[in-house]
Amino acid sequence: MEKKRFLDIHIATFNARSLRTPEKLQELELALSDIKWDIIGISEMRRYGEGIEDYGNFILHYKGETPGLYGVGFLVKKGLAEKIGEIKGVSERIAVLNIELPVKNAEKWSIIQAYSPTESNKKDDIRKIEKFYEDLHLTIENSHKNIIVMGDFNGQIGKRNNFGE
């Protein structure tokens, strides 16, 4: 009986602060050359539109609706490209990668990359945050049973409390 070989899959999330230009993408490639990775979810790509680009050893997916701001996407090593069932941007703040990972039982996974709006007390900002979490909830509901939710949730802490001073 032939034994199946399962791979270690390295999945990460990264806030790029911009991958708008080829130079920024080259900087990221250089930074990634010393680490193990197979899939990276990216926040704050700042690329407009939605697309998939082939870069030889990886593919880049991006989704952005506001020129120069926000945006999410994925970098996926080329060896996993044939395992991708779907890769799409739900919004400029949520992207989903449906993929069959080469792990035990080769199950389908949904990897969700999120980039939450920063918390605020302004009514417009509160509506954006509520919409983000509604979209995230729907994305999770429509995903495979195996789910990874990752990203930048823009958590903030309150004012420093100097007890005892």
Side-chain angles (χ1 to χ4, degrees), residues 20-81:
R20 222 176 1 189
T21 66
E23 293 81 17
K24 289 289 188 181
L25 188 57
Q26 278 184 318
E27 285 178 29
L28 178 59
E29 279 185 86
L30 185 61
L32 294 175
S33 65
D34 291 333
I35 65 169
K36 291 180 182 179
W37 69 274
D38 296 295
I39 300 169
I40 300 178
I42 301 177
S43 297
E44 211 169 342
M45 292 189 79
R46 300 185 183 184
R47 285 180 173 231
Y48 184 70
E50 184 167 15
I52 298 175
E53 299 174 1
D54 187 334
Y55 285 93
N57 62 341
F58 66 89
I59 60 169
L60 168 71
H61 167 265
Y62 61 91
K63 167 81 175 197
E65 298 165 357
T66 306
L69 295 173
Y70 319 125
V72 289
F74 292 97
L75 290 178
V76 180
K77 285 271 179 93
K78 205 60 166 281
L80 290 174

Side-chain angles (χ1 to χ4, degrees), residues 84-147:
I84 295 173
E86 178 183 40
I87 187 168
K88 70 176 180 176
V90 174
S91 70
E92 67 183 348
R93 293 192 174 270
I94 300 171
V96 64
L97 168 64
N98 291 314
I99 188 167
E100 186 178 300
L101 293 177
V103 294
K104 190 175 182 180
N105 299 327
E107 294 180 340
K108 294 181 180 177
W109 286 75
S110 292
I111 302 172
I112 300 168
Q113 176 65 26
Y115 176 45
S116 173
T118 304
E119 300 222 356
S120 168
N121 292 329
K122 297 177 186 170
K123 283 187 179 183
D124 283 348
D125 292 341
I126 291 170
R127 272 181 276 210
K128 286 178 187 175
I129 294 166
E130 288 172 350
K131 172 79 169 114
F132 165 78
Y133 282 105
E134 287 170 13
D135 290 347
L136 183 59
H137 180 75
L138 284 172
T139 303
I140 291 169
E141 279 185 348
N142 293 311
S143 295
H144 295 294
K145 72 175 185 173
N146 300 307
I147 302 172

